[in-house]
Amino acid sequence: MRGWLGQAAGGLPRQFWFLWAGTLINRLGSFVVIFLAIYLTSERHFSQSQAGLVIGVYGVGGAIGTTIGGVLADRWGRRPTMLTAQFGAAALMLALGFAYGYWQILAVTFLLGVATEAVRPAFSAMMVDVVPDRDRVRAFSLNYWAINLGFALSAVGAGLAAKADYLLLFVVDAGSTLVTALIGLMFLAETRPATGHHQRKQPGGGLVLALRDRTYVLYLVISLGSVVVMMQHLSTLPIAMAADGLSAATYGWVIAVNGVLIVLGQLFVPRLIEGHDRSRVLALAALIIGVGFGLVAFADAAWFFALTVVIWTLGEMLQSPSNAATVAALSPATLRGRYQGLSSLSWSAGTALAPIAGGFTQEHLGDTALWIGCFAICALVAAGHLITGPRRERRIEQLLATPAAPATADTSVPA
């Protein structure tokens, strides 16, 4: 066990562990998003459409926030961007708890989405800055594990807090965000590489350069297919299960299999895929995800639906750290914030597109067409990764051969 722990978590920089601890603490207190729809309809007595609009506004704010956060992370710095967004998110979370008018809630929720999502590109860029390329799959696996562990525990805690007082949800969520910000304030050093004068003069401040990176944009477009398929578990999957006469409670424990598997098995993934070609791992992950969702077409009982969740979760466990490591490797040092922001934006786009495309297919073509279509999309994604993989690897080799400018602080000392 000691040897396995050393392989899974040993030798990573000290600053990574502060980032990891902040992720876990923040996720442990992430109460509000889980129960926001229930809070708006039961406690504030808004209609379902009004609650849906509030959640949609949060998503719009998040898309704007991740774009702004990526640019600020490169121009202003990782640390100040993270701290400003985190302190702002904590204050806005409390404000949302005390907001009563519908338009007040809409406005605060939009700003909360901006602040919450603006943290992500700066956080990811800082993690890439401090973790060398050889250790990034391990680092992102550990971070993904912390996200899922925190989310699973917060779901239980949120239910208990909601029974006591809904305001407690907002207070605890704001408190966990504040603690995360204080960890950053006290223990995190700035890691943004120095930017040369010629780089500062590039048109669009570097954002246009990121969008012109055809290799990177093509990778995001290919990966978008996997996102659209995976997000079906939140929209069309519960509808399909209900059509088979299964209750909402049954859907709850079936989908909980996803979180349990990730918590139990994610830390074994880096050793499993170590030394394998990134593109082949991503292609295999896409195929496994496609098989899992494709089998839903034949599922008619709770155990069968749970089996499909097991299958596509295994694909997700391979896909997530490999995707994060690939995005990191394709990001030039001085543009990491923007590249991470574009990656987050593509996930937001996939999350928004998934229920629209899935719902339309389910309504007009039926469940069988939807789930077989999911398999076909993932097969195309796998083929796309295999075809474009060599081009990506050549680009990554070029970036690794280019010496990066020194960061403003030395963060290379391992824990």
Side-chain angles (χ1 to χ4, degrees), residues 41 80 83 105 122 158 224 249 262 289 311 388 390 398 405:
T41 53
L83 293 179
I105 292 176
L224 184 64
I262 291 173
I289 292 170
I311 294 172
T388 61
Q398 291 173 357

Side-chain angles (χ1 to χ4, degrees), residues 12 33 42 71 80 98 117 124 126 133 189 217 269 307 316 321 330:
L12 292 170
V33 174
S42 63
V71 174
F98 288 100
E117 297 302 319
S124 299
M126 180 175 283
D133 181 68
V217 172
V269 170
L307 176 62
E316 180 187 359
L330 288 170

Side-chain angles (χ1 to χ4, degrees), residues 227-282:
V227 178
V228 171
V229 171
M230 284 194 293
M231 289 300 106
Q232 298 304 319
H233 78 278
L234 294 176
S235 54
T236 54
L237 180 60
I239 296 174
M241 291 181 65
D244 283 331
L246 301 175
S247 66
T250 302
Y251 166 74
W253 75 256
V254 166
I255 206 64
V257 172
N258 172 258
V260 172
L261 275 178
I262 291 173
V263 170
L264 293 179
Q266 188 65 48
L267 298 186
F268 295 96
V269 170
R271 183 64 184 272
L272 182 66
I273 63 178
E274 182 181 4
H276 292 281
D277 181 81
R278 273 180 280 229
S279 301
R280 292 183 179 180
V281 173
L282 288 167

Side-chain angles (χ1 to χ4, degrees), residues 59 62-67 117 120-121 207 211 216-231 319 323-324 327 330 337-355 385:
I64 296 173
T66 195
T67 305
E117 297 302 319
R120 298 186 189 278
L207 183 58
L211 289 171
Y216 183 67
V217 172
L218 181 59
Y219 173 75
L220 293 183
V221 171
I222 293 172
S223 301
L224 184 64
S226 296
V227 178
V228 171
V229 171
M230 284 194 293
M231 289 300 106
Q319 190 270 348
N323 171 72
V327 170
L330 288 170
R338 293 168 171 84
Y339 274 61
Q340 294 292 336
L342 288 176
S343 177
S344 298
L345 189 60
S346 71
W347 275 82
S348 298
T351 303
L353 181 61
H385 283 310

Side-chain angles (χ1 to χ4, degrees), residues 165-187:
D165 188 350
Y166 273 104
L167 181 60
L168 189 59
L169 296 176
F170 296 91
V171 173
V172 174
D173 203 326
S176 67
T177 304
L178 183 61
V179 171
T180 303
L182 291 175
I183 290 174
L185 182 65
M186 293 185 291
F187 299 110

